[in-house]
């Protein structure tokens, strides 16, 4: 029976288009590391040789050597495909390093393929796998089943790796990889039963096409503007490296002045700048002959990943990166100064925790680390990262077990010549980490939403204190309570405050609510409604942290504020003539707007005098007292009066 070649022709057409598509990807990407391309090339050549062997499989003694060669090549290439497929699956699960470092396993995996290849190559002499008979036709040898056994072994291995590392594979990778196995088994059975139906090549082509459009979606892996791997791929990589304990070094390169540059450059300029950084980083890899994965983590943060535990290469890469990037960069005809901050991170030594690494990266983005090459280990040892990485659990436990305590910092009234109020400042005391600073846990509680519960806990504690007999004896007018921006966005905030105050019989005039500058520039409808409703009920508001950020004075003027609190960073400004003018005029402006001033961070007598002279009504700071626990605060005020 003559073989049906047309399926092979269709397979060849599919391969042709896949190779063309790959060629265009490579032009965009420049380089490709992985086993898909070798697999595609071997499968294409197998298909070509398959077609030729059939075309030349005609009776007659012509092309005798050529027939042997064509069939030999075809069979060797065909037995290579399952081996490459196993390799491909291993590389997709990122467990390659385990195999590469173990020569015993490597040899064992390659063994069936090597045996098949040797038996095929020696077949012209042994006739074991195939031979050309006297009439010039191809014939299967008695040991041809070895090739099928090999293929079966490899497919079992594929199945093993897919199942063993299934947790490392997302369904979009897992399903195509697994779905190929039954199709391959079916084609082998069909071809064994009906050798004239040549469906093996088309089945392989369709399988590879499926992989190409699912797993090898290069355009989804690479950032189109820089041509570097995307940040999602980086985060997948760090998750996988942790799961399979794969050591790597990552060099993080942050363009510390990127936000400033992005304020002035058009989008196309920023794209050109990032591309230029990307090309420079790639060039270092070629220069040092190091094979590295380069990721674009966006907004001026890049990462170069080197696998293995040799830190030397990473250190060299890092210093080259710093040296190369610190030179000016020509973008759109402009000579730009880039401020690179380079940090070398080593997994698993620096931290095994993916969460800690993420936190570290967000710090790095905020360019907390100095210019030059730094070691992540220096920062990662910092206890804060451990606390921050576990913050959700810490806060949940603190809420459930009442681990919060409210401290009070007295506020001095110049008019009264004594203390008239205090600020309630939250403290978190945990059994595991001890005392945790509010500026560490408040922002994270805001992110997770825990601030809503925490805010109510503070309010309850403050109201209970205000309603106590001890408080009444202190003669204080009110307590200032901090409200976070996130709390103000809660449409029920006003109701919640009113109900807690009602529960403890606290009068609106006994509470002063502090909102920050950030809150004041937000145009959130809920926030405005909350503020107006509480103001109308008789609560007063302070504007906290004045002078720390971007002050939208017009917005501030539109809010019902009674007090402005000058932030300590503002009050600590040096006493130069120019700054004095700014300070004096700011104070005058606030006074003219009929608002009172609390000066924060007053630590010395000299500062006290200076702000008294400038006419500020209230003083808060370590000069009088640090925030104190309730009991100590009561004693402090009693002693002072
Ligand atoms: P803040 O509201 O601006 O509070 C003033 C901060 O300055 C307090 O830090 C206080 O201890 C500190 N401070 C006061 N006087 C001096 C001084 O003379 N020298 C120095 N070096 N520091 C002084 P603390 O208690 O660590 O609180 C930090 C921030 O955490 C607060 O800044 C506030 O934004 C936030 N926070 C504290 N408690 C709460 C709360 O109950 N709710 C909310 N939403 N935020 C809170
Ligand atoms: Mg405050
Ligand atoms: Mg403040």
């Amino acid at each position: 029976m003559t073989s049906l070649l047309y399926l092979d022709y269709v397979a060849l057409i599919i391969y042709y288009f896949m190779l063309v598509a790959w060629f265009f990807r490579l032009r965009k990407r420049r380089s490709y590391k992985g086993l898909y391309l070798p697999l595609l090339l071997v499968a294409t050549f197998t298909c070509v040789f398959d077609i030729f062997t059939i075309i030349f499989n005609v009776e007659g003694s012509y092309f005798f050597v050529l027939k042997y060669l064509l069939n030999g090549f075809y069979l060797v290439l065909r037995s290579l495909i399952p081996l490459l497929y196993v390799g491909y699956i291993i590389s997709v699960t990122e467990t390659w390093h385990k195999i590469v470092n173990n020569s015993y396993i490597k040899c064992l995996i390659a063994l069936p393929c090597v045996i098949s290849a040797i038996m095929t190559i020696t077949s012209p002499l042994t006739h074991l796998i195939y031979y050309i008979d006297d009439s010039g036709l191809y014939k299967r040898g008695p040991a041809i089943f070895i090739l099928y056994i090999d293929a079966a072994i490899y497919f079992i291995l594929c199945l093993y790796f897919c199942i063993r590392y299934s947790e490392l594979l997302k369904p979009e990778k897992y399903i195509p990889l697994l779905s190929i196995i039954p199709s391959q088994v079916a084609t082998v059975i069909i071809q064994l039963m009906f050798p004239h139906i040549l469906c093996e090549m088309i089945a392989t082509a369709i399988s590879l096409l499926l992989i190409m459009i699912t797993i090898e979606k290069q355009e989804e892996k690479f950032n189109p503007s820089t041509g570097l791997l995307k940040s999602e791929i980086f985060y997948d990589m760090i998750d996988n490296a942790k799961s399979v304990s794969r050591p790597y070094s990552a060099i993080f390169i942050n363009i510390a002045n990127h936000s400033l540059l992005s304020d002035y450059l058009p989008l196309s300029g920023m794209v050109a700048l990032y591309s230029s950084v990307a090309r420079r980083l790639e060039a270092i890899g070629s220069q040092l002959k190091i094979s590295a994965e380069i990721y674009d983590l966006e907004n001026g943060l890049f990462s170069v990943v080197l696998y293995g535990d040799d830190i030397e290469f990473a250190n060299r890469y890092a210093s080259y990166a710093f040296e190369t990037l610190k030179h000016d960069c020509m973008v759109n005809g402009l000579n730009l100064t880039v401020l690179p901050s380079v940090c070398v991170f080593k997994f698993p030594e620096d931290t095994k925790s993916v969460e800690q690494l993420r936190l570290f990266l967000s710090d790095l983005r905020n360019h907390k680390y100095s210019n030059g090459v730094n070691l992540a280990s220096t920062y990662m040892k910092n206890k804060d990262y451990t606390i921050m990485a576990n913050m959700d659990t810490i806060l949940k436990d603190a809420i459930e077990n009442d681990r919060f305590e409210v401290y009070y910092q007295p506020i001095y009234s110049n008019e009264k010549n004594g203390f008239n109020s205090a600020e309630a400042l939250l403290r978190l005391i945990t059994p595991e980490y001890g005392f945790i600073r509010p500026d560490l846990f408040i922002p994270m509680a805001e992110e997770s939403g825990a601030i809503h519960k925490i805010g109510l806990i503070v309010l309850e504690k403050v109201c209970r204190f205000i309603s106590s007999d001890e408080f009444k004896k202190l003669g204080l007018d009110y307590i200032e309570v901090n409200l976070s921006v996130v709390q103000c966005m809660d449409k029920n905030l006003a109701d919640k405050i009113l109900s807690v105050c009602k529960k403890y019989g606290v009068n609106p005039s006994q509470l002063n609510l502090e909102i920050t500058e950030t809150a004041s520039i937000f145009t959130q409808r809920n926030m405005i409604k909350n503020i107006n409703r509480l103001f109308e009920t008789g609560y007063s508001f302070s504007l906290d942290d004045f002078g720390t950020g971007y002050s939208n004075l017009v917005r501030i003027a539109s809010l019902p504020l009674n007090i402005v609190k000058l932030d300590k960073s503002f009050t600590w400004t040096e006493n130069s003539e120019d700054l004095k003018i700014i300070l004096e005029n700011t104070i005058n402006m606030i006074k003219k707007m009929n608002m009172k001033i609390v000066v924060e961070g007053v630590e010395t007598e000299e500062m006290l005098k200076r702000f008294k002279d400038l006419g500020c009504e209230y003083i808060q700071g370590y000069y009088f007292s640090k925030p104190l626990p309730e009991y100590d605060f009561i004693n402090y005020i009693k002693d002072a009066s």
Side-chain angles (χ1 to χ4, degrees), residues 103-318:
S103 16
Y104 180 67
I105 297 186
K106 245 191 326 189
C107 291
L108 211 63
I109 291 180
L111 193 64
C113 180
V114 173
I115 292 174
S116 298
I118 293 172
M119 286 180 75
T120 308
I121 293 165
T122 54
S123 258
L125 303 172
T126 61
H127 290 197
L128 279 172
I129 300 288
Y130 76 100
Y131 61 94
I132 309 297
D133 71 4
D134 296 340
S135 59
L137 289 178
Y138 164 85
K139 286 280 175 306
R140 293 170 168 208
I144 188 85
F145 66 91
I146 299 260
L147 301 192
Y148 289 96
I149 292 177
D150 285 358
I153 293 174
Y154 285 122
F155 282 115
I156 291 168
L157 266 179
C158 289
L159 209 58
Y160 165 77
F161 278 108
C162 277
I163 294 168
R164 168 81 175 74
Y165 295 107
S166 56
E167 81 278 8
L168 300 181
L169 293 170
K170 291 183 179 165
E172 59 264 32
K173 285 186 178 179
Y174 189 59
I175 294 166
L177 282 179
L178 270 185
S179 66
I180 287 165
I181 295 169
S183 87
Q184 290 291 330
V185 173
T187 43
V188 169
I189 295 170
I190 292 172
Q191 260 200 276
L192 267 176
M193 290 168 67
F194 312 102
H196 66 290
I197 302 177
L198 303 174
C199 55
E200 219 177 304
M201 293 302 119
I202 185 100
T204 311
I206 292 172
S207 304
L208 292 185
L209 183 64
L210 184 68
I211 293 181
M212 189 169 177
I213 58 179
T214 52
I215 303 168
E216 293 291 323
K217 279 189 288 187
Q218 298 294 307
E219 51 284 357
E220 286 194 4
K221 281 188 181 176
F222 295 96
N223 189 316
S225 54
T226 53
L228 300 181
L229 287 155
K230 284 185 179 173
S231 57
E232 302 96 271
I233 312 292
F234 175 78
Y235 290 113
D236 279 353
M237 185 286 288
I238 57 174
D239 282 339
N240 279 357
K242 187 187 169 186
S243 310
V244 297
S245 308
R246 183 184 195 182
Y248 68 88
S249 310
I251 301 132
F252 296 112
I253 300 111
N254 186 42
I255 309 296
N257 57 338
H258 97 92
S259 58
L260 191 75
L261 291 171
S262 64
D263 280 349
Y264 293 100
L265 285 179
L267 191 61
S268 61
M270 287 311 282
V271 170
L273 172 69
Y274 292 155
S275 297
S276 150
V277 172
R279 298 296 81 79
R280 291 197 210 182
L281 292 177
E282 281 174 341
I284 297 170
S286 324
Q287 209 178 336
L288 296 176
K289 297 194 173 54
I290 296 175
S291 157
E293 281 175 2
I294 311 181
Y295 296 84
D296 178 353
L297 304 184
E298 290 161 30
N299 296 323
L301 183 61
F302 298 85
S303 171
V304 179
V305 172
L306 308 173
Y307 291 106
D309 39 25
D310 192 344
I311 189 76
E312 258 324 291
F313 282 126
N315 288 340
R316 279 178 63 198
Y317 209 117

Side-chain angles (χ1 to χ4, degrees), residues 544-545 567 600:
D544 202 359
D545 301 347
D567 188 74
E600 274 186 355

Side-chain angles (χ1 to χ4, degrees), residues 409 423 426-427 438 482 544-545 568 600-601 603 621-622 627:
Q409 187 175 30
E423 178 172 5
L426 190 57
R427 299 292 179 253
N482 289 283
D544 202 359
D545 301 347
K568 43 189 180 297
E600 274 186 355
E603 293 187 349
Y622 291 177

Side-chain angles (χ1 to χ4, degrees), residues 77 94 96 162 270 298 309 341 446 502 517 533 544:
L77 286 172
E94 313 247 354
W96 190 243
C162 277
M270 287 311 282
E298 290 161 30
D309 39 25
S341 154
E446 287 176 336
K502 197 172 161 204
E517 265 191 72
R533 171 130 185 257
D544 202 359

Side-chain angles (χ1 to χ4, degrees), residues 262-546:
S262 64
D263 280 349
Y264 293 100
L265 285 179
L267 191 61
S268 61
M270 287 311 282
V271 170
L273 172 69
Y274 292 155
S275 297
S276 150
V277 172
R279 298 296 81 79
R280 291 197 210 182
L281 292 177
E282 281 174 341
I284 297 170
S286 324
Q287 209 178 336
L288 296 176
K289 297 194 173 54
I290 296 175
S291 157
E293 281 175 2
I294 311 181
Y295 296 84
D296 178 353
L297 304 184
E298 290 161 30
N299 296 323
L301 183 61
F302 298 85
S303 171
V304 179
V305 172
L306 308 173
Y307 291 106
D309 39 25
D310 192 344
I311 189 76
E312 258 324 291
F313 282 126
N315 288 340
R316 279 178 63 198
Y317 209 117
S319 33
Y320 269 64
F322 181 68
E323 288 305 318
T324 320
L325 293 176
K326 76 176 187 192
H327 296 297
D328 285 359
C329 180
M330 275 300 274
V331 170
N332 292 357
L334 290 170
N335 209 14
L336 298 178
T337 301
V338 170
L339 299 178
S341 154
V342 180
C343 205
V344 184
F345 168 81
K346 208 165 147 35
F347 176 82
E349 287 82 348
D350 292 345
T351 180
K352 282 197 187 109
S353 155
V354 172
E355 293 73 28
Q356 283 191 36
L357 177 58
R358 282 173 184 264
L359 289 167
F360 170 69
L361 286 181
S362 88
D363 263 9
L364 198 66
R365 274 184 199 285
N366 298 331
H367 32 88
K368 285 204 179 145
Y369 305 118
S370 57
N371 220 1
V373 179
N374 303 286
L375 290 181
S377 54
T378 324
Y379 308 109
M380 301 303 291
K381 300 269 184 299
N382 191 333
K383 195 174 149 205
D384 284 0
Y385 283 115
T386 324
I387 297 176
M388 285 162 82
N390 295 309
M391 194 57 92
D392 283 348
T393 328
I394 295 173
L395 291 177
K396 196 166 169 271
D397 166 76
I399 292 169
E400 278 167 12
N401 298 302
D402 192 20
R403 302 205 193 282
F404 291 109
E405 205 178 321
V406 175
Y407 278 35
Y408 296 90
Q409 187 175 30
I411 297 174
Y412 185 86
S413 160
N414 286 328
E415 195 189 342
K416 195 174 161 185
N417 262 329
F419 297 106
N420 79 313
S421 61
E423 178 172 5
L425 291 158
L426 190 57
R427 299 292 179 253
L428 171 55
I429 301 134
T430 64
E432 204 178 348
Y433 304 102
F435 191 93
I436 301 179
R437 299 192 319 272
D439 50 8
L440 201 64
F441 72 82
I442 297 275
M444 298 196 80
E446 287 176 336
E447 254 172 51
S448 70
I451 192 71
H452 297 290
K453 279 190 183 158
I454 297 174
L456 281 185
I457 293 175
V458 177
L459 201 67
E460 284 259 352
K461 288 183 188 282
V462 172
C463 285
R464 194 184 301 133
F465 178 46
I466 294 177
S467 65
S468 68
D469 291 338
E470 286 95 330
F471 182 81
K472 282 172 194 139
K473 284 181 217 153
L474 298 179
L476 298 180
D477 300 334
Y478 54 86
I479 298 285
E480 294 184 358
V481 176
N482 289 283
L483 286 185
S484 103
V485 186
V486 182
Q487 273 178 283
C488 296
M489 288 176 185
D490 172 9
K491 71 175 193 316
N492 299 321
L493 178 78
D495 287 335
K496 287 177 185 168
I497 294 179
L498 291 173
S499 98
V500 176
C501 287
K502 197 172 161 204
K503 179 174 159 192
Y504 290 95
V506 170
N507 200 310
S509 65
Q510 291 178 295
L511 267 193
N512 176 283
L513 302 167
E514 288 190 11
I515 53 168
T516 57
E517 265 191 72
T518 344
S520 70
I521 57 167
F522 264 98
T523 45
Q524 271 276 334
R525 200 176 301 136
N526 284 340
M527 194 176 304
I528 307 289
K529 272 190 183 167
N530 278 325
I531 294 175
N532 285 339
R533 171 130 185 257
L534 290 165
F535 180 73
E536 280 155 19
T537 324
Y539 290 88
S540 61
F541 282 88
S542 293
L543 181 71
D544 202 359
D545 301 347
F546 183 84

